[in-house]
Amino acid sequence: MNKLVQTILVGTLLVAGAATVWAAGAPDPVIGTWTLNVAMSKFTPGPAPKSQTRVYAQTAQGVAMTISGVAADGSAITGQSTLNYDGKDYPITGSPDYDTLSLKRVNGSTVKAVLKLSGKVVGSTTRSISAHGKVMTLSSKGTSAKGTPFDFVAVYDKQ
């Protein structure tokens, strides 16, 4: 399996994750189940995964994110984390390219994440959710643990 693709997807995720309820008790728009729209996404370098699903659930500790899917070579993609929008580092599993994420909310529909490996910044992801709440876009740039640059735009449809 292309570990870079798995890593980036899990990490982006990463922004993909997040937590705490937005101002005045409004629900977090990321909560729910999201499926990767491979045709609308772009993975440089490729190849793209065959499939990926992200599930976000509000918990007392923050937003729990679970990632599952199938990589281009048929191997499993898995990852998980519980995150908050407070700029602190949170551990994430499933990626050899980063081991923590920190998230900050830009506004009600956009979150920026910093990806780190052993405390060193290796990339960033911006998560945007459409005005109608049905499309999530994760734009990620950085460098893998092997030194390969990546630039991904992953588009997800809400289920």
Side-chain angles (χ1 to χ4, degrees):
M1 172 181 80
N2 184 330
K3 287 293 183 188
L4 177 62
V5 171
Q6 178 182 0
T7 297
I8 300 310
L9 290 175
V10 170
T12 45
L13 304 224
L14 310 9
V15 183
T20 67
V21 177
W22 182 237
D28 187 336
V30 78
I31 301 301
T33 300
W34 300 84
T35 303
L36 180 66
N37 184 330
V38 177
M40 297 296 294
S41 300
K42 182 177 180 179
F43 297 91
T44 304
K50 291 181 180 181
S51 66
Q52 188 180 93
T53 300
R54 291 173 171 261
V55 178
Y56 298 89
Q58 187 68 52
T59 72
Q61 293 76 35
V63 173
M65 175 184 70
T66 304
I67 301 167
S68 60
V70 179
D73 68 359
S75 61
I77 296 172
T78 62
Q80 63 182 11
S81 186
T82 299
L83 307 149
N84 287 284
Y85 301 113
D86 57 8
K88 295 179 182 177
D89 291 343
Y90 290 91
I92 183 166
T93 63
S95 173
D97 294 326
Y98 50 90
D99 53 18
T100 64
L101 295 171
S102 64
L103 303 172
K104 285 217 172 199
R105 189 180 291 282
V106 174
N107 58 42
S109 61
T110 305
V111 171
K112 292 201 178 237
V114 175
L115 305 108
K116 294 181 182 177
L117 180 62
S118 300
K120 180 184 173 197
V121 174
V122 295
S124 64
T125 298
T126 300
R127 182 192 76 205
S128 301
I129 297 180
S130 64
H132 56 70
K134 299 292 184 184
V135 176
M136 176 175 68
T137 303
L138 300 175
S139 300
S140 302
K141 290 185 179 188
T143 304
S144 74
K146 293 182 180 180
T148 306
F150 61 84
D151 186 354
F152 294 160
V153 177
V155 179
Y156 294 82
D157 297 314
K158 193 163 194 179
Q159 302 304 298

